[in-house]
Amino acid sequence: MKLRDFEKDLVKGQEAERIVAASFAAKNPGWVVEEVGNVKEYYHRGDIKITNKETGEERFIEVKNDSRTANSHCFLCEESVSYADGYIVDGNMYSNYDIYAVYAAQEARIYYIDFSLLAKHYKAGEFKVIPHSQQTTYAYIVDLAQIKSWGALMGITELNF
């Protein structure tokens, strides 16, 4: 992936983070919502930190902006990423999120998924090798029906823009 492509993806991701944060805050007034995607200590926890106003409980939401989910109702679960220079990193399924939020702009929806349940079952999906110009992604593709069957779908928010 060229740097320019990475920067475009980053901007799209940050836009999705703002949309999810605003939507979550509007629907859950009992929680304080803080965007932390640029805070290094939270890189493997998520993009949004939510804190329950009453109990102080903290949870983290990872946000993905997925352009294919609207058409396929499938979700990408990264196992690993191999870069052209030979460097290999763990995929997002080895992170420590609480909630996995997938923003599907084409259908104006946010899918909220229990990350611990997704992490437990995602390898039941279809394994794919996805080549890009500067990297190769090794991932499992999991469909919405599977996620529902595991009890991992926490909810779907319909957005009204």
Side-chain angles (χ1 to χ4, degrees), residues 43-91:
Y43 282 175
H44 290 284
R45 293 299 319 269
D47 299 308
I48 299 169
K49 177 179 162 183
I50 56 173
T51 306
N52 186 295
K53 290 179 182 178
E54 188 175 310
T55 66
E57 174 192 6
E58 293 180 348
R59 300 191 76 198
F60 291 85
I61 302 172
E62 173 64 8
V63 178
K64 293 296 178 197
N65 187 351
D66 194 324
S67 62
R68 295 179 183 223
T69 296
N71 295 326
S72 68
H73 291 107
C74 290
F75 301 84
L76 179 77
C77 301
E78 291 178 349
E79 183 69 13
S80 64
V81 179
S82 176
Y83 292 92
D85 63 5
Y87 187 65
I88 299 172
V89 297
D90 285 341

Coordinates of all heavy atoms in Angstrom, one line a residue, residues 43-91:
Y43 N -3.5 1.8 21.6 CA -3.5 1.3 20.3 C -4.1 -0.1 20.2 O -4.8 -0.4 19.2 CB -2.1 1.2 19.7 CG -1.5 2.6 19.2 CD1 -0.2 2.7 18.8 CD2 -2.3 3.7 19.2 CE1 0.3 3.9 18.3 CE2 -1.8 4.9 18.7 CZ -0.5 5.0 18.3 OH 0.0 6.2 17.8
H44 N -3.9 -1.0 21.2 CA -4.4 -2.3 21.1 C -5.7 -2.5 22.0 O -6.2 -3.6 22.2 CB -3.4 -3.3 21.6 CG -2.3 -3.5 20.6 ND1 -2.4 -4.2 19.4 CD2 -1.0 -3.0 20.5 CE1 -1.3 -4.1 18.7 NE2 -0.4 -3.4 19.4
R45 N -6.2 -1.4 22.5 CA -7.4 -1.4 23.2 C -8.6 -0.9 22.4 O -9.7 -1.4 22.6 CB -7.3 -0.5 24.5 CG -6.3 -1.0 25.6 CD -6.6 -2.4 26.2 NE -8.0 -2.6 26.5 CZ -8.6 -2.4 27.6 NH1 -8.0 -1.9 28.6 NH2 -9.9 -2.7 27.8
G46 N -8.4 0.1 21.5 CA -9.5 0.6 20.7 C -9.3 2.1 20.4 O -8.4 2.7 20.9
D47 N -10.3 2.6 19.6 CA -10.3 4.0 19.2 C -11.1 4.9 20.1 O -10.9 6.1 20.0 CB -10.8 4.0 17.7 CG -10.0 3.2 16.8 OD1 -8.7 3.5 16.7 OD2 -10.5 2.4 16.0
I48 N -12.0 4.3 20.8 CA -12.9 5.1 21.6 C -13.0 4.4 23.0 O -13.2 3.2 23.2 CB -14.4 5.1 21.0 CG1 -14.4 5.7 19.6 CG2 -15.3 5.8 22.0 CD1 -15.6 5.5 18.9
K49 N -12.8 5.3 24.0 CA -12.9 4.9 25.4 C -14.2 5.3 25.9 O -14.6 6.5 25.8 CB -11.7 5.5 26.2 CG -11.8 5.2 27.7 CD -10.6 5.8 28.4 CE -10.7 6.0 29.8 NZ -9.6 6.7 30.4
I50 N -15.0 4.4 26.5 CA -16.3 4.8 27.1 C -16.2 4.5 28.6 O -15.6 3.5 29.0 CB -17.4 4.1 26.4 CG1 -17.3 2.5 26.5 CG2 -17.6 4.5 25.0 CD1 -18.5 1.8 26.0
T51 N -16.7 5.4 29.4 CA -16.7 5.3 30.8 C -18.1 5.4 31.4 O -18.7 6.5 31.1 CB -15.7 6.3 31.5 OG1 -14.4 6.2 30.9 CG2 -15.6 6.1 33.0
N52 N -18.5 4.5 32.1 CA -19.9 4.5 32.7 C -19.9 5.6 33.8 O -19.1 5.6 34.7 CB -20.2 3.2 33.3 CG -21.7 3.1 33.8 OD1 -22.0 3.8 34.8 ND2 -22.5 2.3 33.2
K53 N -20.8 6.6 33.7 CA -20.8 7.7 34.6 C -21.1 7.3 36.0 O -20.7 7.9 37.0 CB -21.8 8.7 34.2 CG -21.4 9.5 32.9 CD -22.5 10.5 32.5 CE -22.2 11.2 31.2 NZ -23.3 12.1 30.8
E54 N -21.9 6.2 36.2 CA -22.4 5.8 37.5 C -21.3 4.9 38.2 O -21.0 5.0 39.4 CB -23.7 5.0 37.4 CG -24.3 4.7 38.7 CD -25.7 4.1 38.5 OE1 -26.5 4.7 37.7 OE2 -26.0 3.0 39.1
T55 N -20.8 3.9 37.4 CA -19.9 2.9 38.0 C -18.4 3.1 37.8 O -17.6 2.5 38.5 CB -20.2 1.5 37.5 OG1 -19.9 1.5 36.1 CG2 -21.7 1.1 37.7
G56 N -18.1 4.0 36.8 CA -16.7 4.2 36.5 C -16.1 3.1 35.6 O -14.9 3.2 35.2
E57 N -16.9 2.1 35.2 CA -16.4 1.0 34.4 C -15.9 1.6 33.0 O -16.6 2.5 32.5 CB -17.5 0.1 34.1 CG -17.2 -1.0 33.0 CD -18.4 -1.8 32.5 OE1 -19.5 -1.5 32.9 OE2 -18.1 -2.7 31.8
E58 N -14.7 1.2 32.6 CA -14.2 1.6 31.3 C -14.2 0.5 30.3 O -13.9 -0.7 30.7 CB -12.7 2.1 31.5 CG -12.5 3.3 32.3 CD -11.1 3.7 32.4 OE1 -10.2 2.9 32.1 OE2 -10.8 4.8 32.9
R59 N -14.6 0.8 29.1 CA -14.6 -0.2 28.0 C -14.0 0.5 26.8 O -14.0 1.8 26.7 CB -16.0 -0.7 27.7 CG -16.6 -1.4 29.0 CD -17.8 -2.1 28.8 NE -17.4 -3.4 28.1 CZ -18.3 -4.1 27.4 NH1 -19.6 -3.8 27.3 NH2 -18.0 -5.2 26.8
F60 N -13.6 -0.3 25.8 CA -13.0 0.3 24.6 C -13.7 -0.2 23.4 O -14.0 -1.4 23.3 CB -11.5 0.0 24.6 CG -10.7 0.7 25.6 CD1 -10.6 0.2 26.9 CD2 -10.1 1.9 25.4 CE1 -10.0 0.9 27.9 CE2 -9.5 2.6 26.3 CZ -9.4 2.1 27.6
I61 N -13.9 0.7 22.4 CA -14.5 0.3 21.1 C -13.5 0.5 20.0 O -12.9 1.6 19.9 CB -15.7 1.2 20.8 CG1 -16.7 1.1 22.0 CG2 -16.3 0.9 19.5 CD1 -17.9 2.2 21.8
E62 N -13.2 -0.5 19.3 CA -12.4 -0.4 18.1 C -13.4 -0.2 16.9 O -14.4 -0.8 16.8 CB -11.7 -1.7 17.8 CG -10.9 -1.8 16.5 CD -9.8 -0.8 16.4 OE1 -9.4 -0.1 17.3 OE2 -9.2 -0.7 15.3
V63 N -13.0 0.8 16.0 CA -13.8 1.2 14.9 C -13.2 0.8 13.6 O -12.0 1.1 13.4 CB -14.1 2.7 14.9 CG1 -15.0 3.1 13.7 CG2 -14.8 3.1 16.2
K64 N -13.9 0.1 12.8 CA -13.5 -0.2 11.4 C -14.4 0.4 10.4 O -15.6 0.3 10.6 CB -13.4 -1.7 11.2 CG -12.3 -2.4 12.0 CD -11.0 -1.9 11.6 CE -9.9 -2.6 12.5 NZ -8.7 -1.9 12.4
N65 N -13.9 1.0 9.4 CA -14.7 1.6 8.3 C -14.6 0.6 7.2 O -13.5 0.5 6.5 CB -14.1 3.0 7.9 CG -15.0 3.7 6.9 OD1 -15.9 3.2 6.4 ND2 -14.7 5.0 6.7
D66 N -15.6 -0.1 6.9 CA -15.5 -1.2 6.0 C -16.4 -1.0 4.8 O -17.7 -0.9 4.9 CB -15.9 -2.6 6.6 CG -15.5 -3.8 5.8 OD1 -15.6 -3.7 4.5 OD2 -15.1 -4.8 6.4
S67 N -15.9 -0.8 3.6 CA -16.6 -0.5 2.4 C -17.3 -1.7 1.8 O -18.2 -1.5 1.0 CB -15.7 0.2 1.4 OG -14.7 -0.7 1.0
R68 N -17.0 -2.9 2.3 CA -17.6 -4.1 1.7 C -18.7 -4.7 2.5 O -19.5 -5.4 2.0 CB -16.6 -5.1 1.4 CG -15.5 -4.7 0.4 CD -14.5 -5.7 0.2 NE -13.5 -5.2 -0.8 CZ -13.0 -5.9 -1.7 NH1 -13.4 -7.1 -1.9 NH2 -12.1 -5.4 -2.5
T69 N -18.8 -4.3 3.8 CA -19.8 -4.9 4.7 C -21.2 -4.7 4.2 O -22.0 -5.6 4.3 CB -19.6 -4.4 6.1 OG1 -18.3 -4.8 6.6 CG2 -20.6 -4.9 7.0
A70 N -21.5 -3.5 3.7 CA -22.9 -3.2 3.3 C -23.4 -4.1 2.2 O -24.5 -4.5 2.3 CB -22.9 -1.7 2.8
N71 N -22.5 -4.6 1.3 CA -22.9 -5.5 0.3 C -22.9 -6.9 0.7 O -23.7 -7.7 0.3 CB -22.1 -5.3 -1.0 CG -22.3 -3.9 -1.6 OD1 -23.4 -3.3 -1.5 ND2 -21.2 -3.3 -2.1
S72 N -21.9 -7.3 1.4 CA -21.6 -8.7 1.7 C -22.2 -9.2 3.1 O -22.4 -10.3 3.3 CB -20.1 -9.0 1.7 OG -19.5 -8.3 2.8
H73 N -22.4 -8.2 4.0 CA -22.7 -8.5 5.4 C -21.7 -9.5 6.0 O -22.0 -10.4 6.8 CB -24.1 -9.0 5.6 CG -25.1 -7.9 5.3 ND1 -25.9 -7.8 4.2 CD2 -25.3 -6.8 6.1 CE1 -26.6 -6.7 4.2 NE2 -26.3 -6.0 5.4
C74 N -20.4 -9.3 5.6 CA -19.3 -10.1 6.1 C -18.3 -9.1 6.7 O -18.2 -8.0 6.4 CB -18.6 -10.9 5.0 SG -19.6 -12.2 4.3
F75 N -17.5 -9.7 7.6 CA -16.6 -8.9 8.4 C -15.2 -9.5 8.3 O -15.0 -10.7 8.4 CB -17.1 -8.8 9.9 CG -18.4 -8.2 10.0 CD1 -19.6 -9.0 9.8 CD2 -18.6 -6.8 10.2 CE1 -20.8 -8.4 9.9 CE2 -19.9 -6.3 10.3 CZ -21.0 -7.1 10.1
L76 N -14.2 -8.6 8.2 CA -12.8 -9.0 8.0 C -12.2 -9.1 9.4 O -12.2 -8.2 10.2 CB -12.0 -8.0 7.2 CG -10.6 -8.3 7.0 CD1 -10.4 -9.4 5.9 CD2 -9.9 -7.0 6.5
C77 N -11.6 -10.3 9.7 CA -10.9 -10.5 11.0 C -9.4 -10.8 10.6 O -9.1 -12.0 10.2 CB -11.5 -11.7 11.7 SG -13.3 -11.4 12.1
E78 N -8.6 -9.9 10.9 CA -7.1 -10.0 10.5 C -6.4 -11.0 11.4 O -6.4 -10.8 12.6 CB -6.4 -8.7 10.5 CG -6.8 -7.7 9.5 CD -6.1 -6.4 9.6 OE1 -5.4 -6.2 10.7 OE2 -6.2 -5.6 8.7
E79 N -5.8 -12.0 10.8 CA -4.9 -12.9 11.5 C -3.5 -12.4 11.6 O -2.9 -12.3 12.7 CB -4.9 -14.3 10.8 CG -4.2 -15.3 11.5 CD -4.7 -15.8 12.8 OE1 -5.9 -15.5 13.2 OE2 -4.0 -16.5 13.6
S80 N -3.0 -11.9 10.4 CA -1.7 -11.3 10.4 C -1.5 -10.5 9.1 O -2.3 -10.6 8.2 CB -0.5 -12.3 10.5 OG -0.6 -13.2 9.3
V81 N -0.5 -9.6 9.1 CA -0.2 -8.8 8.0 C 1.3 -9.0 7.7 O 2.2 -8.8 8.6 CB -0.5 -7.3 8.2 CG1 -0.2 -6.5 7.0 CG2 -2.0 -7.2 8.5
S82 N 1.6 -9.3 6.5 CA 3.0 -9.5 6.0 C 3.4 -8.3 5.1 O 2.7 -8.2 4.0 CB 3.2 -10.8 5.3 OG 4.5 -10.9 4.8
Y83 N 4.4 -7.5 5.4 CA 4.8 -6.4 4.6 C 5.8 -6.8 3.6 O 6.5 -7.8 3.7 CB 5.3 -5.3 5.5 CG 4.2 -4.7 6.3 CD1 3.9 -5.1 7.6 CD2 3.4 -3.7 5.8 CE1 2.9 -4.6 8.3 CE2 2.3 -3.1 6.5 CZ 2.1 -3.6 7.8 OH 1.0 -3.1 8.5
A84 N 6.0 -6.0 2.5 CA 6.9 -6.3 1.4 C 8.3 -6.5 1.9 O 9.1 -7.2 1.3 CB 6.8 -5.3 0.3
D85 N 8.7 -5.8 3.0 CA 10.1 -5.9 3.5 C 10.3 -7.1 4.3 O 11.4 -7.3 4.9 CB 10.5 -4.6 4.3 CG 9.6 -4.4 5.5 OD1 8.8 -5.3 5.8 OD2 9.8 -3.4 6.2
G86 N 9.3 -8.0 4.5 CA 9.4 -9.2 5.2 C 8.9 -9.1 6.7 O 8.9 -10.1 7.4
Y87 N 8.6 -7.9 7.1 CA 8.1 -7.7 8.5 C 6.7 -8.3 8.6 O 5.8 -7.9 7.8 CB 8.2 -6.2 8.8 CG 7.9 -5.9 10.2 CD1 8.7 -6.3 11.3 CD2 6.7 -5.1 10.5 CE1 8.4 -5.9 12.6 CE2 6.4 -4.7 11.8 CZ 7.3 -5.2 12.8 OH 7.0 -4.8 14.1
I88 N 6.4 -9.1 9.6 CA 5.1 -9.6 9.8 C 4.6 -9.2 11.2 O 5.3 -9.2 12.2 CB 5.1 -11.2 9.8 CG1 5.6 -11.6 8.4 CG2 3.8 -11.8 10.1 CD1 5.9 -13.1 8.3
V89 N 3.3 -8.7 11.2 CA 2.7 -8.3 12.5 C 1.4 -9.1 12.7 O 0.8 -9.5 11.8 CB 2.4 -6.8 12.5 CG1 3.7 -6.0 12.4 CG2 1.5 -6.4 11.4
D90 N 1.0 -9.2 14.0 CA -0.2 -9.8 14.3 C -1.4 -8.9 13.8 O -1.3 -7.7 13.8 CB -0.4 -10.0 15.8 CG 0.4 -11.1 16.4 OD1 0.8 -12.0 15.7 OD2 0.7 -11.0 17.7
G91 N -2.4 -9.6 13.4 CA -3.6 -8.8 12.9 C -4.4 -8.3 14.1 O -4.1 -8.6 15.3

